[in-house]
Amino acid sequence: GQSLEQPSEVTAVEGAIVQINCTYQTSGFYGLSWYQQHDGGAPTFLSYNGLDGLEETGRFSSFLSRSDSYGYLLLQELQMKDSASYFCAPYNQGGKLIFGQGTELSVKP
Amino acid sequence: GAVVSQHPSRVICKSGTSVKIECRSLDFQATTMFWYRQFPKQSLMLMATSNEGSKATYEQGVEKDKFLINHASLTLSTLTVTSAHPEDSSFYICSASSPIGWGYTFGSGTRLTVV
């Protein structure tokens, strides 16, 4: 089976930095991905970590520690449009993408 | 590139009828597609894996006779909700592994309302 844990809600102000943590348990683990979903929309791919360490893509960065079965998504210079749900999703041997419960990020002015 | 088109975006149907949802990969071939269901304020739940030219693989608890999946070509997968009931009202989304990079590409989703 697979289990994922991430905070259900996070609130931050514009311009701030927020970190969304994800711990996972899954077999045949390849790497950890992150997706963003705005209310009523489809998920969009943000990042993927296949190796330990930090991956940076513009204002978003993602980190993975395989030994700790832990990763996080770091959002910098928060903007109102970043208000959305964020999901971590491990890639595993089966090729299926299973999502966690997601973290709802609210960015306040 | 790597666009997945899903239709219809919204559908309202009467209880007991069937509804077909189409998912097309527009600029790449997708031998495998995935179907998800999402209830309000909840996560995406994987329903089944659609394999071109073979039977779909359903997740535990998903009724294969109720949610019929057909993947007859490398660019089209369909999900048919048969004998729909109000509890089937949900947001249905398809996805495919993108040929570009590591991400999965999602369709825009279909909001089904059964009345």
Side-chain angles (χ1 to χ4, degrees):
Chain A
Q2 176 175 290
S3 69
L4 291 164
E5 283 191 25
Q6 49 180 129
S8 58
E9 295 179 346
V10 173
T11 301
V13 296
E14 271 188 301
I17 300 172
V18 71
Q19 178 174 313
I20 299 174
N21 299 320
C22 171
T23 57
Y24 60 87
Q25 285 187 339
T26 184
S27 56
F29 178 80
Y30 280 169
L32 189 68
S33 61
W34 289 90
Y35 287 80
Q36 177 193 62
Q37 185 183 30
H38 285 97
D39 197 29
T44 56
F45 172 74
L46 290 178
S47 69
Y48 172 77
N49 292 73
L51 302 174
D52 282 2
L54 193 67
E55 291 283 341
E56 297 179 76
T57 308
R59 294 187 297 116
F60 294 179
S61 304
S62 58
F63 173 83
L64 175 65
S65 169
R66 287 172 172 267
S67 59
D68 296 322
S69 296
Y70 163 77
Y72 66 72
L73 180 69
L74 190 73
L75 298 86
Q76 303 181 73
E77 300 172 21
L78 281 175
Q79 302 175 9
M80 297 295 289
K81 67 178 182 180
D82 297 329
S83 292
S85 292
Y86 292 84
F87 298 90
C88 62
Y91 282 22
N92 60 31
Q93 215 165 13
K96 297 187 291 189
L97 198 61
I98 308 294
F99 288 86
Q101 287 303 304
T103 298
E104 187 172 351
L105 171 65
S106 297
V107 181
K108 307 294 186 184
Chain B
V3 176
V4 172
S5 174
Q6 184 173 343
H7 293 282
S9 57
R10 292 179 181 273
V11 59
I12 300 173
C13 71
K14 292 184 177 180
S15 279
T17 61
S18 295
V19 173
K20 180 185 283 189
I21 302 169
E22 292 190 349
C23 181
R24 293 180 185 273
S25 55
L26 296 186
D27 48 5
F28 67 102
Q29 294 181 337
T31 55
T32 302
M33 290 187 177
F34 303 91
W35 287 96
Y36 293 84
R37 178 168 57 180
Q38 186 176 35
F39 292 107
K41 299 297 184 183
Q42 294 188 22
S43 185
L44 295 95
M45 185 197 80
L46 179 65
M47 299 175 66
T49 302
S50 171
N51 303 297
E52 187 269 335
S54 64
K55 291 182 179 180
T57 305
Y58 291 82
E59 296 299 303
Q60 192 173 6
V62 178
E63 300 174 60
K64 61 181 180 181
D65 294 330
K66 181 169 184 61
F67 299 100
L68 300 180
I69 291 173
N70 184 278
H71 196 151
S73 78
L74 287 171
T75 59
L76 175 63
S77 174
T78 61
L79 168 67
T80 301
V81 182
T82 63
S83 186
H85 291 283
E87 56 265 32
D88 298 324
S89 298
S90 187
F91 190 51
Y92 293 86
I93 317 175
C94 65
S95 78
S97 177
S98 171
I100 305 169
W102 288 97
Y104 283 66
T105 300
F106 286 79
S108 54
T110 298
R111 188 160 303 282
L112 170 64
T113 303
V114 184
V115 297

